[in-house]
Amino acid sequence: MYIVDRTVRFARGFMLSYGPTGIKKRLWDKEFSGTKWDFIDNTVGDCVYPYLEKYAKNGSILDLGCGPGNTANELDADVYQSYTGVDISEAALAKAVKRTRESGRTGKNTFVNSDFLGYEPPQDFDIILFRESLYHVPYGQVLPILKKFSKHLKSDGVFIVRLYAGDHRPGVIKTRVTAKLDLIRREFAVIESRQFDLPAFPNVFVFRPRG
Ligand SMILES: C[S@@+](CC[C@H](N)C(=O)[O-])C[C@H]1O[C@@H](n2cnc3c(N)ncnc32)[C@H](O)[C@@H]1O
């Protein structure tokens, strides 16, 4: 039973990252239709916010894999002018839109239902954020996707990546996650990076294209 359960979970995790868009969308919608992800509805005080506040410069933010609107509504409204959240899950976006209406930020926050791997932004941004969403980009697609979105950074714009290096198991670091952070260190100009000594070791990386 344990082996069957583990195999099903592995297959599901694999499809969430590697599946075709239609299947990923259905799976993510199912994830957000239940209560599994309710814990990210309130992430006030998260370690990524000081970085967003520092680099937003009262400008524009693109949030790839934005989820249920936590970043869009918890970030200090005075530090940014416009925010675009992209997510593959309509269920997550329904929550994001509702929360944005309730917080009175409809003039600032916009949401797009899309697989970010194929998304073409209509403008350039001060910040392009992957908050716990780069985890779901297959390793082989990390560099191509960052290069593609590099073209949509303003000249002094930055990528911000927040990524747990571990999981619920105390002290465990996942090499398939740290390999993505190593790739960023190798290929980009890292402005600042920090691994926080918090459960599951969240990392925040701020970087831009070299040159
Ligand atoms: C772990 S949740 C993180 C949500 C939010 N950014 C946060 O940190 O609280 C990952 C999010 O990425 C979205 N996602 C995963 N793969 C995606 C893809 N290929 N295109 C767009 N969104 C994706 C999921 O629907 C989900 O909302």
Side-chain angles (χ1 to χ4, degrees), residues 16-17 21 24 28-29 32 37 39-40 43 63-71 86-89 92 114-117 129-133 135-137 162:
L16 278 173
S17 301
T21 297
K24 283 190 290 190
W28 276 111
D29 270 338
F32 278 103
W37 289 94
F39 74 99
I40 59 170
T43 57
D63 184 2
L64 297 168
C66 63
N70 44 343
T71 309
V86 177
D87 206 284
I88 199 163
S89 164
S114 173
D115 184 337
F116 56 53
L117 297 179
L129 171 67
F130 288 89
R131 179 176 173 185
E132 295 308 326
S133 55
Y135 185 87
H136 303 289
V137 177
R162 184 211 196 276

mmCIF file of all heavy atoms in Angstrom, residues 16-17 21 24 28-29 32 37 39-40 43 63-71 86-89 92 114-117 129-133 135-137 162, ligand 1:
data_model
loop_
_atom_site.group_PDB
_atom_site.id
_atom_site.type_symbol
_atom_site.label_atom_id
_atom_site.label_comp_id
_atom_site.label_asym_id
_atom_site.label_seq_id
_atom_site.Cartn_x
_atom_site.Cartn_y
_atom_site.Cartn_z
ATOM 1 N N LEU A 16 2.699 17.474 -12.416
ATOM 2 C CA LEU A 16 2.522 18.893 -12.050
ATOM 3 C C LEU A 16 3.621 19.763 -12.657
ATOM 4 O O LEU A 16 3.410 20.932 -12.954
ATOM 5 C CB LEU A 16 2.558 19.061 -10.525
ATOM 6 C CG LEU A 16 1.270 18.767 -9.762
ATOM 7 C CD1 LEU A 16 1.528 18.809 -8.259
ATOM 8 C CD2 LEU A 16 0.159 19.737 -10.112
ATOM 9 N N SER A 17 4.821 19.169 -12.840
ATOM 10 C CA SER A 17 5.937 19.942 -13.394
ATOM 11 C C SER A 17 6.200 19.642 -14.862
ATOM 12 O O SER A 17 6.513 20.539 -15.641
ATOM 13 C CB SER A 17 7.213 19.649 -12.600
ATOM 14 O OG SER A 17 7.048 19.964 -11.258
ATOM 15 N N THR A 21 0.414 21.268 -20.738
ATOM 16 C CA THR A 21 -0.302 22.357 -20.072
ATOM 17 C C THR A 21 -1.693 21.944 -19.578
ATOM 18 O O THR A 21 -2.058 22.230 -18.436
ATOM 19 C CB THR A 21 -0.410 23.564 -21.034
ATOM 20 O OG1 THR A 21 0.909 24.020 -21.312
ATOM 21 C CG2 THR A 21 -1.202 24.714 -20.422
ATOM 22 N N LYS A 24 -1.419 19.763 -16.472
ATOM 23 C CA LYS A 24 -0.936 20.545 -15.323
ATOM 24 C C LYS A 24 -2.060 21.432 -14.784
ATOM 25 O O LYS A 24 -2.262 21.542 -13.593
ATOM 26 C CB LYS A 24 0.252 21.441 -15.744
ATOM 27 C CG LYS A 24 1.564 20.695 -15.889
ATOM 28 C CD LYS A 24 2.731 21.642 -16.051
ATOM 29 C CE LYS A 24 2.730 22.356 -17.373
ATOM 30 N NZ LYS A 24 3.946 23.106 -17.665
ATOM 31 N N TRP A 28 -3.443 21.308 -11.058
ATOM 32 C CA TRP A 28 -3.302 22.466 -10.166
ATOM 33 C C TRP A 28 -4.672 22.985 -9.725
ATOM 34 O O TRP A 28 -4.848 23.417 -8.591
ATOM 35 C CB TRP A 28 -2.482 23.576 -10.830
ATOM 36 C CG TRP A 28 -1.017 23.363 -10.677
ATOM 37 C CD1 TRP A 28 -0.120 23.042 -11.655
ATOM 38 C CD2 TRP A 28 -0.255 23.440 -9.464
ATOM 39 N NE1 TRP A 28 1.145 22.920 -11.133
ATOM 40 C CE2 TRP A 28 1.087 23.157 -9.788
ATOM 41 C CE3 TRP A 28 -0.569 23.718 -8.136
ATOM 42 C CZ2 TRP A 28 2.114 23.153 -8.838
ATOM 43 C CZ3 TRP A 28 0.443 23.717 -7.180
ATOM 44 C CH2 TRP A 28 1.760 23.438 -7.544
ATOM 45 N N ASP A 29 -5.659 22.927 -10.632
ATOM 46 C CA ASP A 29 -7.009 23.357 -10.247
ATOM 47 C C ASP A 29 -7.538 22.482 -9.119
ATOM 48 O O ASP A 29 -8.169 22.970 -8.183
ATOM 49 C CB ASP A 29 -7.961 23.295 -11.446
ATOM 50 C CG ASP A 29 -7.969 24.621 -12.201
ATOM 51 O OD1 ASP A 29 -7.600 25.643 -11.599
ATOM 52 O OD2 ASP A 29 -8.318 24.614 -13.400
ATOM 53 N N PHE A 32 -6.003 23.444 -5.804
ATOM 54 C CA PHE A 32 -6.515 24.681 -5.199
ATOM 55 C C PHE A 32 -8.021 24.639 -4.936
ATOM 56 O O PHE A 32 -8.556 25.565 -4.337
ATOM 57 C CB PHE A 32 -6.158 25.896 -6.061
ATOM 58 C CG PHE A 32 -4.755 26.380 -5.815
ATOM 59 C CD1 PHE A 32 -3.746 26.099 -6.711
ATOM 60 C CD2 PHE A 32 -4.441 27.087 -4.663
ATOM 61 C CE1 PHE A 32 -2.439 26.515 -6.474
ATOM 62 C CE2 PHE A 32 -3.148 27.506 -4.410
ATOM 63 C CZ PHE A 32 -2.145 27.219 -5.320
ATOM 64 N N TRP A 37 -3.849 23.937 -0.038
ATOM 65 C CA TRP A 37 -2.983 25.105 -0.130
ATOM 66 C C TRP A 37 -3.478 26.296 0.689
ATOM 67 O O TRP A 37 -2.955 27.403 0.557
ATOM 68 C CB TRP A 37 -2.807 25.521 -1.605
ATOM 69 C CG TRP A 37 -1.971 24.537 -2.357
ATOM 70 C CD1 TRP A 37 -2.413 23.485 -3.104
ATOM 71 C CD2 TRP A 37 -0.540 24.476 -2.404
ATOM 72 N NE1 TRP A 37 -1.352 22.775 -3.617
ATOM 73 C CE2 TRP A 37 -0.193 23.362 -3.204
ATOM 74 C CE3 TRP A 37 0.480 25.241 -1.842
ATOM 75 C CZ2 TRP A 37 1.136 23.005 -3.460
ATOM 76 C CZ3 TRP A 37 1.806 24.890 -2.102
ATOM 77 C CH2 TRP A 37 2.119 23.786 -2.895
ATOM 78 N N PHE A 39 -2.887 27.038 3.519
ATOM 79 C CA PHE A 39 -1.845 27.592 4.401
ATOM 80 C C PHE A 39 -1.073 28.749 3.756
ATOM 81 O O PHE A 39 -0.440 29.534 4.461
ATOM 82 C CB PHE A 39 -0.880 26.478 4.852
ATOM 83 C CG PHE A 39 0.078 26.007 3.786
ATOM 84 C CD1 PHE A 39 1.388 26.480 3.761
ATOM 85 C CD2 PHE A 39 -0.322 25.101 2.809
ATOM 86 C CE1 PHE A 39 2.272 26.055 2.780
ATOM 87 C CE2 PHE A 39 0.560 24.678 1.838
ATOM 88 C CZ PHE A 39 1.863 25.156 1.814
ATOM 89 N N ILE A 40 -1.151 28.876 2.397
ATOM 90 C CA ILE A 40 -0.455 30.035 1.800
ATOM 91 C C ILE A 40 -1.382 31.248 1.641
ATOM 92 O O ILE A 40 -0.980 32.255 1.085
ATOM 93 C CB ILE A 40 0.258 29.709 0.460
ATOM 94 C CG1 ILE A 40 -0.713 29.200 -0.604
ATOM 95 C CG2 ILE A 40 1.410 28.767 0.670
ATOM 96 C CD1 ILE A 40 -0.077 29.095 -1.994
ATOM 97 N N THR A 43 0.569 34.708 4.284
ATOM 98 C CA THR A 43 2.038 34.592 4.373
ATOM 99 C C THR A 43 2.641 35.944 4.757
ATOM 100 O O THR A 43 3.760 36.270 4.355
ATOM 101 C CB THR A 43 2.627 34.063 3.043
ATOM 102 O OG1 THR A 43 2.238 34.945 1.971
ATOM 103 C CG2 THR A 43 2.151 32.659 2.732
ATOM 104 N N ASP A 63 4.544 38.404 -11.466
ATOM 105 C CA ASP A 63 4.636 37.299 -10.506
ATOM 106 C C ASP A 63 4.226 36.011 -11.226
ATOM 107 O O ASP A 63 3.041 35.792 -11.504
ATOM 108 C CB ASP A 63 3.704 37.603 -9.325
ATOM 109 C CG ASP A 63 3.803 36.565 -8.219
ATOM 110 O OD1 ASP A 63 4.610 35.627 -8.330
ATOM 111 O OD2 ASP A 63 3.051 36.711 -7.224
ATOM 112 N N LEU A 64 5.223 35.173 -11.531
ATOM 113 C CA LEU A 64 4.959 33.962 -12.329
ATOM 114 C C LEU A 64 4.687 32.772 -11.399
ATOM 115 O O LEU A 64 5.576 32.343 -10.660
ATOM 116 C CB LEU A 64 6.152 33.693 -13.250
ATOM 117 C CG LEU A 64 6.390 34.803 -14.280
ATOM 118 C CD1 LEU A 64 7.750 34.649 -14.970
ATOM 119 C CD2 LEU A 64 5.272 34.842 -15.324
ATOM 120 N N GLY A 65 3.450 32.273 -11.444
ATOM 121 C CA GLY A 65 3.022 31.245 -10.491
ATOM 122 C C GLY A 65 2.551 31.919 -9.215
ATOM 123 O O GLY A 65 2.972 31.586 -8.113
ATOM 124 N N CYS A 66 1.635 32.887 -9.388
ATOM 125 C CA CYS A 66 1.270 33.809 -8.296
ATOM 126 C C CYS A 66 0.394 33.166 -7.238
ATOM 127 O O CYS A 66 0.276 33.686 -6.131
ATOM 128 C CB CYS A 66 0.566 35.039 -8.861
ATOM 129 S SG CYS A 66 -1.010 34.658 -9.675
ATOM 130 N N GLY A 67 -0.248 32.020 -7.564
ATOM 131 C CA GLY A 67 -1.092 31.370 -6.563
ATOM 132 C C GLY A 67 -2.326 32.189 -6.219
ATOM 133 O O GLY A 67 -2.872 32.916 -7.055
ATOM 134 N N PRO A 68 -2.782 32.096 -4.940
ATOM 135 C CA PRO A 68 -4.087 32.661 -4.568
ATOM 136 C C PRO A 68 -4.077 34.137 -4.216
ATOM 137 O O PRO A 68 -4.986 34.613 -3.535
ATOM 138 C CB PRO A 68 -4.465 31.814 -3.345
ATOM 139 C CG PRO A 68 -3.154 31.489 -2.707
ATOM 140 C CD PRO A 68 -2.156 31.352 -3.831
ATOM 141 N N GLY A 69 -3.052 34.867 -4.634
ATOM 142 C CA GLY A 69 -3.076 36.324 -4.450
ATOM 143 C C GLY A 69 -2.456 36.793 -3.153
ATOM 144 O O GLY A 69 -2.671 37.936 -2.738
ATOM 145 N N ASN A 70 -1.651 35.931 -2.517
ATOM 146 C CA ASN A 70 -1.024 36.361 -1.260
ATOM 147 C C ASN A 70 -0.024 37.495 -1.501
ATOM 148 O O ASN A 70 -0.106 38.546 -0.858
ATOM 149 C CB ASN A 70 -0.380 35.179 -0.500
ATOM 150 C CG ASN A 70 0.419 34.233 -1.371
ATOM 151 O OD1 ASN A 70 0.277 34.224 -2.594
ATOM 152 N ND2 ASN A 70 1.250 33.429 -0.763
ATOM 153 N N THR A 71 0.895 37.321 -2.463
ATOM 154 C CA THR A 71 1.884 38.378 -2.709
ATOM 155 C C THR A 71 1.184 39.669 -3.150
ATOM 156 O O THR A 71 1.494 40.756 -2.655
ATOM 157 C CB THR A 71 2.897 37.933 -3.791
ATOM 158 O OG1 THR A 71 3.416 36.659 -3.427
ATOM 159 C CG2 THR A 71 4.028 38.934 -3.936
ATOM 160 N N VAL A 86 0.512 35.717 -12.870
ATOM 161 C CA VAL A 86 0.213 34.691 -13.877
ATOM 162 C C VAL A 86 0.143 33.346 -13.170
ATOM 163 O O VAL A 86 1.034 33.014 -12.379
ATOM 164 C CB VAL A 86 1.331 34.651 -14.959
ATOM 165 C CG1 VAL A 86 1.074 33.533 -15.970
ATOM 166 C CG2 VAL A 86 1.437 35.999 -15.667
ATOM 167 N N ASP A 87 -0.906 32.598 -13.436
ATOM 168 C CA ASP A 87 -0.988 31.252 -12.851
ATOM 169 C C ASP A 87 -1.752 30.319 -13.776
ATOM 170 O O ASP A 87 -2.664 30.736 -14.493
ATOM 171 C CB ASP A 87 -1.657 31.286 -11.471
ATOM 172 C CG ASP A 87 -1.207 30.127 -10.605
ATOM 173 O OD1 ASP A 87 -1.667 28.988 -10.836
ATOM 174 O OD2 ASP A 87 -0.356 30.342 -9.710
ATOM 175 N N ILE A 88 -1.361 29.043 -13.720
ATOM 176 C CA ILE A 88 -1.995 28.035 -14.576
ATOM 177 C C ILE A 88 -3.351 27.603 -14.000
ATOM 178 O O ILE A 88 -4.189 27.074 -14.723
ATOM 179 C CB ILE A 88 -1.037 26.821 -14.730
ATOM 180 C CG1 ILE A 88 -1.397 25.972 -15.929
ATOM 181 C CG2 ILE A 88 -0.974 25.988 -13.445
ATOM 182 C CD1 ILE A 88 -0.299 25.029 -16.381
ATOM 183 N N SER A 89 -3.560 27.888 -12.703
ATOM 184 C CA SER A 89 -4.777 27.415 -12.042
ATOM 185 C C SER A 89 -5.846 28.498 -11.964
ATOM 186 O O SER A 89 -5.650 29.532 -11.311
ATOM 187 C CB SER A 89 -4.436 26.929 -10.630
ATOM 188 O OG SER A 89 -5.618 26.816 -9.863
ATOM 189 N N ALA A 92 -6.911 28.968 -8.302
ATOM 190 C CA ALA A 92 -6.043 29.859 -7.516
ATOM 191 C C ALA A 92 -6.346 31.314 -7.878
ATOM 192 O O ALA A 92 -6.447 32.178 -7.001
ATOM 193 C CB ALA A 92 -4.570 29.536 -7.791
ATOM 194 N N SER A 114 -2.507 31.415 -17.396
ATOM 195 C CA SER A 114 -1.627 30.900 -18.450
ATOM 196 C C SER A 114 -0.564 29.998 -17.846
ATOM 197 O O SER A 114 -0.216 30.136 -16.666
ATOM 198 C CB SER A 114 -0.941 32.088 -19.155
ATOM 199 O OG SER A 114 0.028 31.637 -20.072
ATOM 200 N N ASP A 115 -0.049 29.086 -18.659
ATOM 201 C CA ASP A 115 1.173 28.347 -18.313
ATOM 202 C C ASP A 115 2.312 29.331 -18.522
ATOM 203 O O ASP A 115 2.489 29.848 -19.630
ATOM 204 C CB ASP A 115 1.312 27.146 -19.260
ATOM 205 C CG ASP A 115 2.507 26.254 -18.916
ATOM 206 O OD1 ASP A 115 3.463 26.737 -18.274
ATOM 207 O OD2 ASP A 115 2.474 25.076 -19.318
ATOM 208 N N PHE A 116 3.062 29.644 -17.468
ATOM 209 C CA PHE A 116 4.088 30.683 -17.658
ATOM 210 C C PHE A 116 5.187 30.251 -18.628
ATOM 211 O O PHE A 116 5.906 31.081 -19.155
ATOM 212 C CB PHE A 116 4.638 31.227 -16.337
ATOM 213 C CG PHE A 116 5.223 30.228 -15.370
ATOM 214 C CD1 PHE A 116 6.211 29.330 -15.734
ATOM 215 C CD2 PHE A 116 4.783 30.215 -14.048
ATOM 216 C CE1 PHE A 116 6.746 28.430 -14.825
ATOM 217 C CE2 PHE A 116 5.314 29.310 -13.130
ATOM 218 C CZ PHE A 116 6.291 28.421 -13.526
ATOM 219 N N LEU A 117 5.299 28.949 -18.880
ATOM 220 C CA LEU A 117 6.329 28.498 -19.839
ATOM 221 C C LEU A 117 6.049 29.054 -21.236
ATOM 222 O O LEU A 117 6.962 29.260 -22.025
ATOM 223 C CB LEU A 117 6.407 26.970 -19.878
ATOM 224 C CG LEU A 117 6.828 26.287 -18.572
ATOM 225 C CD1 LEU A 117 6.852 24.771 -18.726
ATOM 226 C CD2 LEU A 117 8.191 26.788 -18.097
ATOM 227 N N LEU A 129 9.163 37.908 -10.593
ATOM 228 C CA LEU A 129 9.226 37.071 -9.391
ATOM 229 C C LEU A 129 8.819 35.626 -9.692
ATOM 230 O O LEU A 129 7.806 35.382 -10.357
ATOM 231 C CB LEU A 129 8.253 37.657 -8.341
ATOM 232 C CG LEU A 129 7.979 36.831 -7.085
ATOM 233 C CD1 LEU A 129 9.221 36.722 -6.197
ATOM 234 C CD2 LEU A 129 6.825 37.463 -6.287
ATOM 235 N N PHE A 130 9.631 34.688 -9.201
ATOM 236 C CA PHE A 130 9.233 33.272 -9.131
ATOM 237 C C PHE A 130 9.233 32.925 -7.647
ATOM 238 O O PHE A 130 10.289 32.693 -7.063
ATOM 239 C CB PHE A 130 10.245 32.367 -9.829
ATOM 240 C CG PHE A 130 10.263 32.426 -11.330
ATOM 241 C CD1 PHE A 130 11.059 33.344 -11.996
ATOM 242 C CD2 PHE A 130 9.510 31.528 -12.089
ATOM 243 C CE1 PHE A 130 11.113 33.381 -13.380
ATOM 244 C CE2 PHE A 130 9.557 31.557 -13.484
ATOM 245 C CZ PHE A 130 10.347 32.484 -14.132
ATOM 246 N N ARG A 131 8.058 32.946 -7.051
ATOM 247 C CA ARG A 131 7.979 32.644 -5.615
ATOM 248 C C ARG A 131 7.468 31.213 -5.435
ATOM 249 O O ARG A 131 6.290 30.940 -5.656
ATOM 250 C CB ARG A 131 7.046 33.654 -4.926
ATOM 251 C CG ARG A 131 6.899 33.387 -3.459
ATOM 252 C CD ARG A 131 6.065 34.439 -2.772
ATOM 253 N NE ARG A 131 5.817 34.027 -1.401
ATOM 254 C CZ ARG A 131 5.038 34.669 -0.562
ATOM 255 N NH1 ARG A 131 4.429 35.773 -0.930
ATOM 256 N NH2 ARG A 131 4.857 34.209 0.653
ATOM 257 N N GLU A 132 8.343 30.312 -5.088
ATOM 258 C CA GLU A 132 8.021 28.881 -4.938
ATOM 259 C C GLU A 132 7.373 28.308 -6.200
ATOM 260 O O GLU A 132 6.549 27.407 -6.121
ATOM 261 C CB GLU A 132 7.120 28.638 -3.708
ATOM 262 C CG GLU A 132 7.772 28.965 -2.396
ATOM 263 C CD GLU A 132 9.145 28.309 -2.190
ATOM 264 O OE1 GLU A 132 9.338 27.182 -2.663
ATOM 265 O OE2 GLU A 132 10.025 28.950 -1.601
ATOM 266 N N SER A 133 7.722 28.839 -7.337
ATOM 267 C CA SER A 133 7.176 28.305 -8.587
ATOM 268 C C SER A 133 8.285 27.754 -9.500
ATOM 269 O O SER A 133 8.008 26.927 -10.365
ATOM 270 C CB SER A 133 6.355 29.365 -9.327
ATOM 271 O OG SER A 133 7.116 30.530 -9.534
ATOM 272 N N TYR A 135 10.357 25.749 -8.598
ATOM 273 C CA TYR A 135 10.373 24.333 -8.216
ATOM 274 C C TYR A 135 9.671 23.487 -9.289
ATOM 275 O O TYR A 135 10.050 22.357 -9.545
ATOM 276 C CB TYR A 135 9.645 24.182 -6.874
ATOM 277 C CG TYR A 135 9.683 22.794 -6.301
ATOM 278 C CD1 TYR A 135 10.741 22.388 -5.499
ATOM 279 C CD2 TYR A 135 8.665 21.879 -6.572
ATOM 280 C CE1 TYR A 135 10.788 21.106 -4.985
ATOM 281 C CE2 TYR A 135 8.704 20.599 -6.062
ATOM 282 C CZ TYR A 135 9.773 20.213 -5.263
ATOM 283 O OH TYR A 135 9.821 18.935 -4.757
ATOM 284 N N HIS A 136 8.655 24.067 -9.908
ATOM 285 C CA HIS A 136 7.837 23.310 -10.861
ATOM 286 C C HIS A 136 8.299 23.475 -12.304
ATOM 287 O O HIS A 136 7.609 23.043 -13.227
ATOM 288 C CB HIS A 136 6.365 23.713 -10.715
ATOM 289 C CG HIS A 136 5.871 23.502 -9.315
ATOM 290 N ND1 HIS A 136 5.670 22.247 -8.786
ATOM 291 C CD2 HIS A 136 5.613 24.373 -8.314
ATOM 292 C CE1 HIS A 136 5.282 22.356 -7.522
ATOM 293 N NE2 HIS A 136 5.244 23.641 -7.212
ATOM 294 N N VAL A 137 9.448 24.124 -12.497
ATOM 295 C CA VAL A 137 10.023 24.225 -13.846
ATOM 296 C C VAL A 137 11.083 23.129 -13.962
ATOM 297 O O VAL A 137 12.018 23.092 -13.155
ATOM 298 C CB VAL A 137 10.671 25.616 -14.064
ATOM 299 C CG1 VAL A 137 11.325 25.687 -15.426
ATOM 300 C CG2 VAL A 137 9.628 26.720 -13.900
ATOM 301 N N ARG A 162 12.284 33.024 -4.916
ATOM 302 C CA ARG A 162 12.211 32.472 -3.547
ATOM 303 C C ARG A 162 11.998 30.979 -3.720
ATOM 304 O O ARG A 162 11.106 30.545 -4.463
ATOM 305 C CB ARG A 162 11.024 33.074 -2.786
ATOM 306 C CG ARG A 162 10.938 32.614 -1.327
ATOM 307 C CD ARG A 162 9.503 32.558 -0.855
ATOM 308 N NE ARG A 162 9.372 32.498 0.591
ATOM 309 C CZ ARG A 162 9.439 31.374 1.300
ATOM 310 N NH1 ARG A 162 9.661 30.201 0.702
ATOM 311 N NH2 ARG A 162 9.262 31.417 2.619
HETATM 312 C C1 LIG B 1 3.747 26.395 -4.461
HETATM 313 S S1 LIG B 1 2.570 27.405 -5.279
HETATM 314 C C2 LIG B 1 3.241 29.030 -4.895
HETATM 315 C C3 LIG B 1 2.208 30.118 -4.892
HETATM 316 C C4 LIG B 1 2.724 31.502 -4.476
HETATM 317 N N1 LIG B 1 3.661 32.019 -5.463
HETATM 318 C C5 LIG B 1 3.391 31.459 -3.116
HETATM 319 O O1 LIG B 1 4.630 31.447 -3.040
HETATM 320 O O2 LIG B 1 2.685 31.405 -2.102
HETATM 321 C C6 LIG B 1 3.051 27.234 -6.984
HETATM 322 C C7 LIG B 1 2.135 28.014 -7.902
HETATM 323 O O3 LIG B 1 2.682 27.963 -9.213
HETATM 324 C C8 LIG B 1 1.638 27.693 -10.134
HETATM 325 N N2 LIG B 1 2.247 27.039 -11.301
HETATM 326 C C9 LIG B 1 2.935 25.873 -11.315
HETATM 327 N N3 LIG B 1 3.377 25.607 -12.567
HETATM 328 C C10 LIG B 1 2.940 26.637 -13.345
HETATM 329 C C11 LIG B 1 3.073 26.940 -14.727
HETATM 330 N N4 LIG B 1 3.745 26.134 -15.563
HETATM 331 N N5 LIG B 1 2.524 28.079 -15.204
HETATM 332 C C12 LIG B 1 1.832 28.929 -14.361
HETATM 333 N N6 LIG B 1 1.682 28.674 -13.043
HETATM 334 C C13 LIG B 1 2.228 27.548 -12.532
HETATM 335 C C14 LIG B 1 0.654 26.827 -9.363
HETATM 336 O O4 LIG B 1 -0.643 26.843 -9.899
HETATM 337 C C15 LIG B 1 0.736 27.440 -7.977
HETATM 338 O O5 LIG B 1 -0.189 28.492 -7.831
#
